Amino acid sequence: MAQADISLNSPVAPHGHPDKWKWYDYFTFNVDHKVIGIQYLVTSFLFYLVGGFMAVMLRTELATPDSDFLSPELYNAFLTNHGTIMIFLWIVPAAIGGFGNYLIPLMIGARDMAFPKLNAIAFWLNPPAGALLLGSFYFGGAQAGWTSYPPLSEITANAAQTMWILAIVLVGTSSILGSVNFLITIWKMRVPSMKWDQIPLFCWAMVATSILALFSTPVLAAGLILLLFDINFGTSFFKPDAGGNVVVYQHLFWFYSHPAVYLMILPIFGIMSEVIPVHARKPIFGYKAIAYSSLTICFVGLFVWVHHMFTSGTPPWMRIFFTISTLIVAVPTGIKIFSWVATLWGGKIRYTTAMLFAVGLLSMFVFGGLSGVTLGTAPFDIHVHDTYYVVGHFHYVLFGGSVFGIYAAVYHWFPKITGRMLNEKLGQVHFVLTFIGTILTFTPMHALGMQGMPRRVAMYDPQFTDLNQLVTVGAYILAVSVIPFYINVLWSWSKGPKAGDNPWNALTLEWTTASPPIIENWEVLPVVTHGPYEYGHDPEEELETVS
């Protein structure tokens, strides 16, 4: 298949590697960015099953008002580790570590990341972190929720809570190392012929993500280390009875943990900007607006964290400021959504499974974003704070947004990663079950919250039983939805039909390589002559490769 917008006329880079790695190389300290990307993806999808199992257990307990399935201690441990695993060992490593590592060098015409060994170290910090979280159950599991607010996290302090803190510090260190690598790689290693306005939008999203991570992650690490000292070494940073201040911990935690939402969604925004124009066969609408809006989210996102603390005694002037900043951050997000809808309008849409998940994400994220705007206003947030309204909003954004985006990315780039196509029929079953399950699980939570049901409790007023049972049915459907997906991936990886180098007739540089790519990506480096989204012509005319 002729390929996109480039001529291949750079010198051949000498190498002594084989064209492909052996299967056992994926279990070693390998410095190839593609191997590391697959290591991230496989590991994160395994933890997705672990976190999902915990969610099903929690929802089974919540099907009835009484505590009759899980013990209170196990419920708290599952609650804490479900949130922790889904954020730090599933969405972040899959979206950033997995697709970021695999795609960035391919998209910019590089042979690898700027610091390959640092890249491998960043990945290998994650399995020990996961082992610490799971090992903490031997000591009863951390009990203080994924936020681990003191004094609760200090009152329930034990070896499990310490293991939880160490796990998050490891993951945070991995994030910092990866962010440095992404920034230097995109800045310095793209092919000389690629101008800034020819960089794929996924790369722009990763630039914004990396900057945000570098600013916010060290603050979380500092807060957790101080908490670790309080628990283990007798300090009193957050102990009110000894002169400490628990609200300071909240500031340190949320200065990272609200931008963390953008760390999880900005790469997904980049994925959306890659999937939609390819499967709509239409140029992306507002390339520069999408690129600059990612940087705007990165900047404004650092000034919204206090809206999580409107009930923590924040003064009125602070509530006003952070209400305004929270509403402002919705503007660049709206720009992206408008651009994607405008790209779809009038396009020759191919409803592949990747496109189904992308369009499904649009509807989910709009709903989740609107409920987020309501939570960003202090009067309403005070009313529904710590209720299931927050849980519903949070999951609409992160499951209906990030997870849908990860699925879209898998269906879109699976042919490039493996050289084989996924089964579209199984993919459609997967999409339908996921879409229905998401709506049934998280929509009723908003009603529960408006009626006053608190979150993070195992026992609740019987008046909430019917809606909770509906939520539990939705959670079971979501659990079932992963079955056709995992069957599809495992079967197609070895038995699926051959994909060819560019089954989607896409224009970005990763599709100019073999499927799967050779170890050094290209025999000769590409030269970029056109933009990455110039669709709308006959595929054979719009793509050309000259060796």
Side-chain angles (χ1 to χ4, degrees), residues 32 62 134 289:
D32 185 344
L62 290 167
L134 297 181

Side-chain angles (χ1 to χ4, degrees), residues 258-296:
H258 188 83
V261 175
Y262 305 122
L263 297 183
M264 289 181 275
I265 203 64
L266 276 170
I268 303 305
F269 288 165
I271 288 167
M272 289 283 284
S273 298
E274 302 300 329
V275 171
I276 287 177
V278 172
H279 297 275
R281 308 311 303 169
K282 189 180 173 189
I284 193 77
F285 183 92
Y287 170 93
K288 290 184 178 180
I290 295 175
Y292 297 157
S293 65
S294 293
L295 300 179
T296 304

Side-chain angles (χ1 to χ4, degrees), residues 271-282 340-341 343-345 347-363 404-405 407-412 424 427-428 431 504:
I271 288 167
M272 289 283 284
S273 298
E274 302 300 329
V275 171
I276 287 177
V278 172
H279 297 275
R281 308 311 303 169
K282 189 180 173 189
W340 296 330
V341 173
T343 303
L344 290 169
W345 187 268
K348 297 179 180 179
I349 300 174
R350 300 177 296 187
Y351 284 106
T352 60
T353 307
M355 190 61 150
L356 289 174
F357 274 104
V359 174
L361 186 154
L362 269 176
S363 61
F404 269 59
Y407 281 145
V410 169
Y411 284 99
H412 183 68
E424 284 291 315
Q428 291 166 4
F431 169 75
W504 311 127

Side-chain angles (χ1 to χ4, degrees), residues 57 219 221 246 290 293 335 338 412 449:
M57 296 297 100
V219 178
V246 295
I290 295 175
S293 65
I335 290 172
F338 177 84
H412 183 68

Side-chain angles (χ1 to χ4, degrees), residues 34 83 99 102 132 161 176 209 233 239 301 313 357 429 451 462 518 547:
K34 298 182 295 298
F99 290 107
Y102 198 96
L132 282 169
Q161 189 66 50
I176 292 170
T209 302
F233 303 112
K239 295 178 179 177
F357 274 104
V429 171
Q451 294 171 24
I518 62 173
S547 297

Side-chain angles (χ1 to χ4, degrees), residues 297-318:
I297 290 172
C298 168
F299 176 74
V300 180
L302 290 169
F303 300 96
V304 300
W305 79 92
V306 175
H307 76 234
H308 292 276
M309 301 168 55
F310 284 155
T311 60
S312 298
T314 50
W317 71 264
M318 190 177 289

